Amino acid sequence: NPPRLTRYVVVNGGNDVKNCNGDKLKIRHCRRSDGVVYMSARLKDALAELKQQSDASGTIIKAKSGKPFSAASMTNWFWLLYRDLGFEGCSSHSGRRTAITKWARTISQHNGSMRDVQALARHSSLQMTQRYVEVSENAMKRVVGWGCFISV
């Protein structure tokens, strides 16, 4: 998802991107083995447009200084953006949590499992992925077909 991919492409200045092939990016990570990040059609189109408009090598989005964002400055940028938009309780990690929750809720429609969500999130454990997924009381009600939900 885009938040983690944004960190690779933006914060690390594109240096972690090894190869862009179709709908996926091959990346390297200093603490882990190489991996693949799948791109949404929207991100793929945006990167293709950027490449047509300019030299898309190196850092795509830069800080005011012209240098790549550090992880800390990117975190602060998101915090200020969310604050200015009036979003309370949001952090730089909010988009990642939202994406992982969405993937978890829809993966079975594509014959996938939570292990696929784990791989998309690039988590080393399924337990970590599960901590990201938010509970939906409405979904629980719908899946059991009841109009009311009894808490135990």
Side-chain angles (χ1 to χ4, degrees), residues 38-56:
Y38 291 92
M39 294 187 289
S40 67
R42 185 174 164 198
L43 177 58
K44 184 179 173 184
D45 291 345
L47 290 174
E49 184 178 327
L50 179 66
K51 190 173 184 176
Q52 287 179 350
Q53 294 175 0
S54 66
D55 175 23

Side-chain angles (χ1 to χ4, degrees), residues 7-8 17 19 25 29 32 49 54 58 60 62 64 68 79 90-92 97 102 109 111-112 126-128 131 136 149:
R7 182 168 180 207
Y8 282 117
V17 177
N19 186 351
L25 292 173
H29 192 285
R32 293 190 197 146
E49 184 178 327
S54 66
I60 295 173
K62 298 177 184 178
K64 289 179 184 177
W79 186 86
C90 292
S91 73
S92 59
R97 290 185 176 281
K102 180 181 176 184
Q109 296 169 11
N111 296 321
L126 189 55
Q127 291 78 16
M128 176 60 77
R131 283 188 269 184
S136 170
F149 183 75

